[in-house]
Amino acid sequence: MAVTMRDVARRARVSSKTVSNVVNRRPHVHESTRARVEQAIRELGYRPNLSARGLRSGRTGVVGLVLPDLRPPAAAALADAVLTAAREHDLAVVVSRTGADPRSRAGVLAGEPHRTDGLLLAAELLGAPERALLDGVDHPVVLLGRADVVVAVDQVAPADAAAAAAAVRHLLDVGRRRVAVVGAPVGGAPAGGAPADGPTGRGGAGARVLGYRRALEDAGVPVDPRLVLPARDGDPRAGAAAVAALLATGAPVDAVLALDDALAVGALHALADGGLRVPDDVAVMGLGDLAPGWARPALSSVDLGLDDVARTAVAMLLERVGGAGPGQVPPRRHEAPFRVVVRASTGGPAGG
């Protein structure tokens, strides 16, 4: 027979009402009591009846995840992390891919509130039209990533600028001085004086270029504009083309920082095609730590904390769904912790 809420209550030595409060993540439950109920839920394998809960509460038990594209490794990893985090709260996730069409973006923003309790929305989807539409949506929303427009909703993002700066410092520490960056926003890198948490052009990529610039400047290393290479994110071919074009100019380079691991893999191919050895001639580093097993040599990278992004975003969204409106809790900003992972592509251990 299926495990019931009453079974959980007996195991945890609490009332069924207390179990309900824990399952529905209501406040005012003592932490020790919450822990005891959650342990009983795990031990018994209890699964709430989401349909019945929805009929009683008016909620669906479903959240929406809206991304522009699911093919880039970073997007796929984020989607997987969100699904895992949602499952911990017994939530289902509807994943929507908007593509580049502004009408599709507007349609998702207008339609998803009718079938979900709240939305996790990729911040890069927000331009001026979407911002205006979002301002008019009376629905819980948490942005994933760094928006280039100011919106009055919660935002959870990697520490883009700080992570890129840490990567540059690692390259400087291993003796590199001519550090190229691949993946700058197409149309130009952000100005050196732009704030790290403000509009920098193409969201997280702009902030990462800013971190790159500031780390070099802090070390007294001039920024060479020839080494700031625009490229479409998430595309190894774009990384390879950008690095190949740089090598063709003859500009000296002894390190490459790619703004995501897919670009870094492309850079590795271009350097090999150019007869350069990694890391002997050119050190290579990525951001994201999503490709250590299939890059050769094994790729140094920065773990951007996507699991923390997903868990925090889902928790924030649930708080908003539970009634923590903007008037009670002002919009919040959270940056995930990051970790530099050193491997063979910058002179670290040969293993992945």
Side-chain angles (χ1 to χ4, degrees):
M1 295 180 62
V3 177
T4 67
M5 189 175 291
R6 186 171 298 174
D7 296 328
V8 175
R10 280 197 294 266
R11 173 67 66 91
R13 303 187 306 279
V14 298
S15 68
S16 295
K17 176 64 173 176
T18 297
V19 175
S20 176
N21 288 340
V22 172
V23 168
N24 290 288
R25 306 198 65 78
R26 298 190 182 104
H28 314 308
V29 177
H30 194 278
E31 282 306 311
S32 62
T33 303
R34 185 182 301 276
R36 198 162 69 246
V37 171
E38 289 174 346
Q39 181 178 352
I41 287 172
R42 289 191 298 270
E43 291 174 351
L44 295 174
Y46 173 66
R47 291 291 180 269
N49 185 329
L50 295 178
S51 297
R53 184 199 301 180
L55 289 173
R56 290 192 300 269
S57 67
R59 299 177 190 167
T60 65
V62 178
V63 297
L65 172 63
V66 185
L67 301 171
D69 195 351
L70 294 173
R71 289 170 294 181
L78 178 60
D80 183 71
V82 167
L83 290 169
T84 299
R87 191 160 50 242
E88 293 173 356
H89 296 280
D90 293 303
L91 293 171
V93 180
V94 175
V95 182
S96 299
R97 179 182 63 84
T98 67
D101 184 358
R103 290 172 298 180
S104 175
R105 298 180 185 184
V108 168
L109 287 174
E112 288 296 327
H114 299 296
R115 60 175 183 155
T116 66
D117 294 328
L119 292 180
L120 298 170
L121 179 67
E124 64 195 272
L125 291 172
L126 291 186
E130 292 83 9
R131 175 191 174 185
L133 182 59
L134 185 62
D135 287 343
V137 172
D138 184 20
H139 197 62
V141 174
V142 175
L143 294 186
L144 301 172
R146 198 168 306 277
D148 280 334
V149 295
V150 178
V151 289
V153 298
D154 298 326
Q155 295 187 49
V156 182
D160 293 296
V168 171
R169 286 194 295 271
H170 167 63
L171 293 169
L172 296 174
D173 287 344
V174 297
R176 310 304 166 124
R177 289 297 179 270
R178 298 284 302 171
V179 183
V181 61
V182 181
V186 176
D197 57 352
T200 53
R202 217 187 71 186
R208 293 175 191 184
V209 174
L210 182 62
Y212 157 86
R213 289 178 174 273
R214 288 187 171 169
L216 289 179
E217 291 167 354
D218 288 347
V221 177
V223 177
D224 185 342
R226 295 177 296 173
L227 301 183
V228 180
L229 310 177
R232 185 163 64 93
D233 61 311
D235 187 348
R237 294 167 297 180
V243 172
L246 172 65
L247 297 179
T249 68
V253 57
D254 61 13
V256 171
L257 170 62
L259 298 189
D260 63 52
D261 284 354
L263 292 171
V265 170
L268 290 172
H269 281 272
L271 292 167
D273 291 344
L276 296 171
R277 298 168 300 166
V278 176
D280 303 64
D281 301 316
V282 181
V284 177
M285 190 151 193
L287 290 173
D289 198 34
L290 300 175
W294 45 273
R296 288 294 179 268
L299 182 65
S300 293
S301 191
V302 181
D303 181 343
L304 296 174
L306 290 187
D307 288 340
D308 179 83
V309 169
R311 285 194 301 269
T312 303
V314 169
M316 283 186 175
L317 190 65
L318 281 174
E319 290 174 8
R320 295 299 185 188
V321 170
Q328 300 159 299
V329 180
R332 297 161 290 183
R333 303 289 182 268
H334 174 80
E335 282 195 340
F338 62 86
R339 179 173 62 96
V340 176
V341 183
V342 178
R343 299 190 179 93
S345 69
T346 60

